[in-house]
């Protein structure tokens, strides 16, 4: 085996940015899943996972000598309340490996036991949240959404005690970094003012190297993150994805989706939809996601303020100016995604009305978001014509058809565009729940494997995936999701 090089860049940061710690071994680890493709991208040898060393690594039982485990420190606003010290309470960074494309990737265990940041927690995870994150993060990747990835899922052979005793598991997560808005907040609140500068320089080197040569590198960094998060949230919206817990510690600086705790895809289109049990006020409802992202970015701006300008007044003016551009940037991404979903390649501002009116039809008729958009490219629009009142449907449809004529004159192919922007399959909540129930009760991985495979090609309709295209029937409906922590 070629020696893997762990670059250990996080260890170059000031020592209060992380804490050394070791995974706690588990009784009888067994693979639930392993991602061969991702392993190959990371340069892991093909046979490694099947070896004792492989299982040792992905369970945390026996680390190779190239691993250098640590837990990262971060703060965060949880439901708008600032918590100065959160950190990896149930996650341990094992290594930073450069993938085949030359990008540095964090390899992290989640659920591998207590760390110095665990507070009252056990550092473990039940099998359910591990399965959810494995399936949904890989499905998001296949849908084209920036996201952390899942490399391995291993059951621990131990019980994890929540409201009930549940089988435990460990996820191996891969990310372009685990740097969060909360990481910057933590650094900005150190006594030593050099910590935030060192961390900001690190973020720039790792994710946005062009900022180094910008006139104001830290303002440029803020603007990059604003852009990436605006793009990300617009993409979530275009898929009906509800993150569920957009605390500042759960929003990455890279713009990758992270932490699939109480997340869910909406079925019936309802802008006020909330799934998360803990989100009683609906702070993280579907329609609030862009505003919350902007609010979180304001917290990032606060953390960067002293670096943006030595005059606080100047720094605030510059930061506010950048933050005020968020709605316009977001709107641009939103319009591009939703116009494409209607088959429009060159979106114009007037298309917003056409999109909004379509969404209103879906809301009024309780129509499934995913099925409805996909139905636009079906020959008769059989689903929509059943769902929506005929005169209203025909009125909207004729406006849409007129708009598409302009596209066709441009030589575009609306049908092809719609079929690659409107998935047939999304990871529906009831299907994830069915998988979790199967695995938790009998250990049966058949449905897990099948759905994992089908969710890798979410834009093609096949006979095999037909039953999984449908929304939950009333008795299957999952109305609430839980963090699982
Ligand atoms: P999350 O819900 O993943 O965003 O986690 C919020 C904070 O709680 C983070 O600092 C986690 O590391 C910590 N946390 C969540 N679950 C556990 C657990 N079972 N044991 C220890 N810390 C946890
Ligand atoms: Mg988190």
């Amino acid at each position: 085996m070629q020696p893997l090089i762990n670059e250990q860049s996080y260890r170059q940061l000031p020592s209060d940015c992380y804490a050394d710690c070791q995974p706690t071994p588990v009784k009888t680890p067994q693979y639930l899943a392993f991602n061969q493709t991702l392993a190959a991208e990371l340069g892991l040898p093909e046979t490694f996972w099947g070896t004792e060393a492989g299982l040792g690594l992905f369970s945390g039982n026996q680390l190779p000598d190239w691993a250098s485990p640590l837990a990262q420190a971060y703060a965060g606003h949880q439901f708008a309340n600032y918590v100065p010290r959160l950190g990896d309470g149930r996650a341990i960074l094992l290594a930073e490996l450069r993938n085949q494309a030359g990008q540095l990737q964090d390899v992290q265990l989640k659920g591998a036991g207590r760390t110095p940041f665990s507070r009252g927690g056990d550092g473990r995870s039940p099998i359910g949240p591990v399965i959810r994150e494995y399936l949904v993060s890989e499905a998001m990747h296949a849908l084209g959404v920036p996201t952390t990835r899942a490399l391995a899922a291993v059951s621990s052979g131990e019980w994890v005690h929540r409201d009930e005793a549940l089988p435990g598991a460990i996820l191996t997560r891969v990310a372009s970094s685990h740097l969060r808005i909360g990481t910057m907040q933590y650094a900005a609140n150190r006594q030593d003012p050099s910590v935030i500068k060192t961390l900001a320089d690190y973020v720039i080197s790792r994710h946005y190297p062009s900022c180094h040569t910008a006139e104001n590198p830290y303002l440029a960094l803020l603007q990059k993150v604003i852009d990436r998060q605006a793009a990300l949230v617009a993409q979530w919206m275009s898929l009906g994805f509800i993150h569920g817990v957009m605390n500042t510690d759960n929003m990455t600086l890279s713009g990758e989706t992270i932490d699939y705790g109480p997340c869910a895809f909406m079925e019936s289109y309802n802008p006020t939809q909330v799934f998360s049990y803990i989100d009683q006020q609906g702070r993280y409802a579907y329609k609030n996601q862009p505003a919350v992202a902007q609010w979180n970015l304001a917290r990032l701006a606060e953390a960067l303020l002293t670096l943006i300008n030595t005059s606080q007044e100047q720094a605030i003016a510059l930061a506010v100016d950048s933050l005020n551009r968020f709605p316009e940037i977001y709107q641009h991404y939103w319009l591009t995604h939703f116009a494409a979903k209607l088959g429009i390649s060159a979106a114009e501002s007037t298309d917003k009305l056409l999109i909004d009116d379509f969404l209103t039809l879906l809301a009024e008729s309780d129509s499934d978001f995913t099925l409805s958009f996909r139905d636009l490219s079906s020959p008769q629009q059989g689903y929509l014509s059943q769902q929506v009142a005929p005169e209203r449907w025909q009125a909207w449809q004729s406006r849409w058809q007129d708009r598409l004529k302009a596209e066709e004159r441009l030589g575009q192919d609306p049908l092809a565009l719609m079929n690659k922007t409107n998935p047939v399959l999304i990871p529906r909540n009831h299907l994830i729940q069915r998988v979790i129930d199967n695995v938790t009760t009998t250990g049966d991985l058949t449905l897990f494997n099948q759905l994992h495979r089908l969710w890798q090609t979410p834009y093609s309709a096949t006979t095999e995936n037909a039953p999984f295209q449908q929304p939950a029937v009333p008795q299957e409906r999952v109305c609430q999701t839980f963090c699982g922590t």
Side-chain angles (χ1 to χ4, degrees):
M1 166 171 168
Q2 274 220 330
L4 287 163
I5 300 166
N6 175 7
E7 298 202 7
Q8 301 192 41
S9 64
Y10 219 78
R11 288 189 174 280
Q12 312 304 312
L13 293 172
S15 62
D16 50 355
C17 291
Y18 62 89
D20 292 309
C21 64
Q22 290 288 332
T24 309
V26 294
K27 235 183 234 157
T28 46
Q30 257 188 318
Y31 281 108
L32 297 164
F34 188 77
N35 190 337
Q36 286 287 7
T37 318
L38 184 59
E41 285 172 25
L42 285 170
L44 291 170
E46 210 180 313
T47 52
F48 175 70
W49 76 285
T51 64
E52 217 180 299
L55 191 57
L57 174 63
F58 300 117
S59 61
N61 275 11
Q62 171 121 50
L63 298 187
D65 51 14
W66 48 265
S68 57
L70 62 84
Q72 295 179 338
Y74 52 83
H77 277 87
Q78 299 185 307
F79 292 89
N81 300 307
Y82 185 64
V83 185
R85 188 179 143 103
L86 286 165
D88 287 336
R90 54 164 171 173
I92 297 178
L93 177 69
L94 294 182
E96 297 158 18
L97 304 178
R98 211 163 275 281
N99 67 14
Q100 302 295 311
Q103 297 146 342
L104 200 59
Q105 300 286 310
D106 278 5
V107 180
Q108 188 199 61
L109 297 181
K110 211 174 156 184
R114 286 179 54 78
T115 77
F117 301 101
S118 294
R119 294 166 287 162
D122 59 2
R124 293 295 187 194
S125 176
I127 216 166
V130 168
I131 286 183
R132 178 185 298 275
E133 178 156 349
Y134 195 100
L135 286 174
V136 183
S137 65
E138 287 304 299
M140 288 285 268
H141 177 70
L143 285 162
V145 183
T147 176
T148 63
R149 305 286 308 274
L151 178 59
V154 171
S155 61
S156 64
E158 296 181 356
W159 295 103
V160 175
H161 300 279
R162 297 293 180 260
D163 284 342
E164 51 188 325
L166 296 162
I170 296 147
L171 180 83
T172 306
R173 176 160 75 181
V174 172
S176 73
S177 85
H178 287 86
L179 294 157
R180 309 140 193 270
I181 290 182
T183 319
M184 296 301 251
Q185 292 181 289
Y186 178 84
N189 287 320
R190 300 301 87 209
Q191 289 257 302
D192 176 355
S194 73
V195 178
I196 182 66
K197 181 172 186 311
T198 309
L199 188 72
D201 288 336
Y202 176 77
V203 176
I204 290 176
S205 299
R206 193 153 175 182
H207 293 292
Y208 305 107
S210 67
C211 293
H212 275 313
T213 51
E215 192 186 317
N216 185 334
Y218 308 106
L219 185 64
L221 170 62
L222 174 65
Q223 289 164 350
K224 288 278 187 198
V225 182
I226 288 173
D227 183 81
R228 285 302 85 208
Q229 292 201 0
L232 179 70
V233 174
Q235 211 175 353
W236 289 353
M237 300 299 276
S238 78
L239 293 165
F241 178 78
I242 304 171
H243 182 281
V245 60
M246 289 175 69
N247 294 332
T248 57
D249 53 304
N250 290 336
M251 294 302 286
T252 61
L253 299 175
S254 66
E256 287 175 352
T257 314
I258 193 170
D259 276 4
Y260 292 87
C263 71
F265 284 81
M266 182 159 79
E267 296 206 301
S268 296
Y269 177 67
N270 166 13
T272 62
Q273 180 79 60
V274 176
F275 287 101
S276 171
Y277 170 72
I278 52 168
D279 190 6
Q280 297 291 336
Q281 311 291 321
R283 179 177 171 85
Y284 299 136
Y286 174 79
K287 69 167 183 175
N288 293 350
Q289 296 187 117
V292 168
Q294 189 179 4
W295 189 90
N296 288 341
L297 289 159
R299 308 290 79 78
L300 173 64
E302 284 163 6
L304 290 171
L305 227 44
T306 55
L307 303 176
I308 290 175
N309 201 290
T310 46
S311 140
Q312 194 186 48
E313 202 182 326
Q314 276 287 320
I316 291 174
L318 290 165
V320 166
D321 195 45
S322 297
L323 289 164
N324 284 345
R325 290 204 53 229
F326 178 91
E328 181 196 325
I329 297 169
Y330 169 77
Q331 193 57 37
H332 162 78
Y333 287 118
W334 182 92
L335 188 64
T336 307
H337 282 296
F338 275 86
K341 289 172 83 68
L342 297 187
I344 301 164
S345 66
E348 287 166 16
S349 55
T350 48
D351 292 327
K352 182 172 184 320
L353 192 59
L354 188 67
I355 300 164
D356 283 340
D357 289 346
F358 182 64
L359 291 172
T360 303
L361 293 182
L362 300 194
E364 287 172 356
S365 57
D366 226 2
S367 297
D368 184 86
F369 181 84
T370 306
L371 279 187
S372 297
F373 274 101
R374 183 68 182 203
D375 196 49
L376 290 172
S377 55
S378 78
Q380 261 86 43
Q381 284 120 25
Y383 178 73
L384 285 162
S385 46
Q386 271 187 13
Q387 288 289 116
V388 184
E391 57 300 348
R392 305 205 55 203
W393 171 236
Q394 278 149 24
W396 184 85
Q397 206 188 18
S398 78
R399 285 164 61 203
W400 176 51
Q401 289 302 336
D402 281 349
R403 178 63 183 88
L404 287 189
K405 283 189 193 118
E407 276 291 307
E408 279 154 12
R409 279 196 296 274
L410 291 172
Q412 299 296 336
D413 181 354
L415 211 59
L417 182 60
M418 285 189 275
N419 283 336
K420 65 178 189 203
T421 46
N422 295 315
V424 178
L425 288 187
I426 46 154
R428 293 183 183 271
N429 303 330
H430 67 292
L431 298 175
I432 298 170
Q433 198 51 51
R434 209 185 289 167
V435 171
I436 293 174
D437 291 344
N438 286 358
V439 181
T440 309
T441 54
T442 65
D444 184 4
L445 287 165
T446 317
L447 188 62
F448 173 92
N449 289 323
Q450 186 187 18
L451 287 174
H452 176 260
R453 177 169 51 80
L454 295 178
W455 288 343
Q456 294 310 296
T457 50
Y459 294 98
S460 352
T462 65
T463 12
E464 189 189 358
N465 73 26
F468 304 114
Q469 296 176 20
Q470 297 306 313
V473 296
Q475 61 272 25
E476 290 177 314
R477 219 167 269 159
V478 176
C479 301
Q480 275 192 331
T481 53
F482 302 86
C483 268
T485 57

